Amino acid sequence: LSTERNAVNLNKQYQAALQQREKALEANEAATQKAQADFDSAMEIYNKYQEDLASEKQAWQEETGRKATGIQTIRPQSITKGLGGANAAKIAELEKQLASLPGNLQSVGEASKIQQQIADLKSGAAGYTPAYIKDPKTGKLIPSSEAEPITEFKPFTKVPGYDTTRRLMEEKDITAVFEDVAGRRPTAAEMDRFLGTQTTDAAIAQFAMNQPDVKAKVDYTDDDFRENFQYYIGREPTKGELASMKKAKITNFNQMRNFLQQQPAYLKNLNTVAQQAFQAQQKTAEDALAEQQRLAASLTPEMVSSAYKDVLGRPPTMEELRQYMGAQQTSEGLEGILKGSEEYLGTRTKPLIPAPSPVVQPAVTPIQFT
């Protein structure tokens, strides 16, 4: 009996141990699943944070890159050069001197000398003027006398002041000045103050400089210096540039802006952005001129023949060629005219499968009765 009881007790203990083990496994599995869920949740939050941070950084870079160097208020300056020979600039200078001479006897001798200099330059006696030069647009040689002057970007040698020309102010004009002067967009009240008024960039700039937040005392950190350097100059400051900013004892935004605009790096970046704006203006003007020339061009025999073949599938007759040749029209316009013709519409409405021809029944041989 004692052995039997011991066996029963041991079996109970074994069963209890099994149940505890199962509970421990279940608890461990639950803890593992919760840890995994917590980890997944944390990773989701982390990934979302990284995505938001990347988006915010990209948006910040796009924003600062757009307004970092005053591209909104800068107006690119240009210079027009003649291609008609190496002496064109000198001739223009001498002609200006000649025109400025007073009309008295004492200036006659001086005028004669200048006229002789101009004649020598034009003849080539005072320097070689090529008869033919390469056209920068076509690459072909053309007579130097037929060369059109070209307009080039003229770099700034110093930071330009704000425009003093009075004009009607739009939102983009006001926003541009505030972003350059105050480092921020204008408030609704500030926008309302200038929108639709006849004023100047300089007047808006002066107003922005006197705003409380622009004049307020600020304790700038290293991150503030880096951010404003990036904002105005378009790149991170070097260690030396950062140290220079910290030693300048800058205590408000006006001082911050003025300090940065006095740096050589600011002028360099300003010219880079101004040149990009100049090139964009030139491209727009060239595209508009090309479109104007295209619309004003007259039809050539080749263009008329091509349109007839493309639309009607045949060459034009001599009468049709004379009708359209030299007309102020584009190839597309002529094709539109031909697509409205009865010939074209007739071919478009003709059935694809021809109607069946009528069947002719053979004559029936009459029956002969005998």
Side-chain angles (χ1 to χ4, degrees):
L1 292 175
S2 176
T3 300
E4 184 179 353
R5 283 196 298 271
N6 289 337
V8 172
N9 289 334
L10 288 172
N11 184 54
K12 289 180 178 180
Q13 292 174 9
Y14 175 72
Q15 295 298 327
L18 287 177
Q19 291 177 359
Q20 290 178 355
R21 180 177 178 278
E22 290 296 329
K23 290 180 179 179
L25 290 174
E26 291 177 359
N28 184 63
E29 180 65 21
T32 301
Q33 292 179 355
K34 185 177 185 306
Q36 184 64 45
D38 291 344
F39 174 78
D40 292 342
S41 177
M43 285 302 298
E44 185 178 351
I45 294 173
Y46 173 77
N47 290 334
K48 179 67 166 55
Y49 168 77
Q50 290 292 336
E51 291 174 1
D52 292 345
L53 185 64
S55 298
E56 183 178 352
K57 183 178 181 181
Q58 182 179 357
W60 179 82
Q61 288 175 340
E62 291 175 354
E63 181 185 11
T64 55
R66 176 177 56 82
K67 62 187 180 182
T69 54
I71 189 172
Q72 302 90 337
T73 56
I74 194 69
R75 286 173 174 77
Q77 56 183 8
S78 60
I79 183 171
T80 301
K81 296 181 178 179
L83 294 177
N87 304 321
K90 184 62 177 176
I91 291 172
E93 181 183 343
L94 290 171
E95 287 177 342
K96 188 180 295 185
Q97 291 180 15
L98 184 63
S100 66
L101 291 176
N104 52 43
L105 293 176
Q106 294 179 348
S107 62
V108 172
E110 183 66 23
S112 178
K113 291 180 182 179
I114 294 176
Q115 288 172 342
Q116 184 60 49
Q117 286 180 289
I118 293 174
D120 290 343
L121 287 169
K122 287 184 176 180
S123 66
Y128 175 66
T129 299
Y132 289 87
I133 62 174
K134 183 180 287 188
D135 189 325
K137 294 183 179 179
T138 64
K140 298 179 180 179
L141 289 177
I142 59 174
S144 58
S145 59
E146 297 179 6
E148 296 182 0
I150 59 173
T151 302
E152 297 178 345
F153 172 70
K154 182 180 179 182
F156 291 100
T157 56
K158 63 179 182 179
V159 178
Y162 290 99
D163 194 353
T164 57
T165 305
R166 291 179 64 85
R167 67 183 193 281
L168 181 68
M169 288 296 163
E170 301 288 351
E171 286 187 356
K172 62 180 181 61
D173 304 317
I174 302 163
T175 300
V177 176
F178 266 85
E179 287 178 340
D180 291 342
V181 177
R184 61 170 175 80
R185 297 177 63 84
T187 64
E190 290 165 342
M191 178 64 74
D192 184 65
R193 179 186 182 94
F194 293 104
L195 184 62
T197 63
Q198 291 282 346
T199 187
T200 66
D201 287 351
I204 299 176
Q206 188 62 46
F207 176 85
M209 291 176 190
N210 289 321
Q211 294 313 291
D213 63 312
V214 181
K215 296 194 301 181
K217 184 177 180 180
V218 180
D219 294 325
Y220 289 108
T221 64
D222 286 5
D223 287 341
D224 294 328
F225 286 128
R226 291 191 185 93
E227 180 181 349
N228 282 289
F229 193 97
Q230 173 80 33
Y231 182 84
Y232 278 104
I233 298 181
R235 62 171 174 81
E236 287 286 327
T238 64
K239 290 183 178 180
E241 289 167 337
L242 180 61
S244 176
M245 293 180 72
K246 293 167 67 174
K247 292 176 181 178
K249 297 181 180 180
I250 299 171
T251 59
N252 62 44
F253 194 81
N254 279 327
Q255 294 176 359
M256 174 73 76
R257 181 196 63 253
N258 292 339
F259 175 86
L260 291 172
Q261 290 183 344
Q262 292 169 5
Q263 304 308 303
Y266 178 83
L267 181 60
K268 180 180 179 181
N269 203 26
L270 189 69
N271 274 321
T272 298
V273 176
Q275 186 171 16
Q276 292 172 351
F278 171 79
Q279 291 171 346
Q281 291 175 0
Q282 291 291 94
K283 180 67 166 57
T284 301
E286 289 173 2
D287 291 347
L289 179 60
E291 179 64 12
Q292 183 180 359
Q293 291 174 342
R294 187 185 73 85
L295 295 175
S298 57
L299 291 171
T300 64
E302 292 77 12
M303 295 165 68
V304 176
S305 297
S306 178
Y308 267 83
K309 290 177 181 178
D310 290 344
V311 177
L312 300 180
R314 64 171 178 83
T317 64
M318 187 57 66
E319 182 180 351
E320 291 168 336
L321 191 61
R322 284 197 295 265
Q323 178 183 357
Y324 291 110
M325 188 174 62
Q328 294 289 319
Q329 183 62 269
T330 63
S331 296
E332 295 83 354
L334 177 56
E335 290 178 2
I337 293 173
L338 296 178
K339 287 179 180 179
S341 66
E342 293 183 1
E343 179 179 349
Y344 178 80
L345 296 175
T347 59
R348 300 292 291 181
T349 56
K350 184 183 296 183
L352 297 177
I353 302 175
S357 301
V359 178
V360 179
Q361 298 294 337
V364 179
T365 303
I367 301 173
Q368 299 292 331
F369 295 95
T370 57

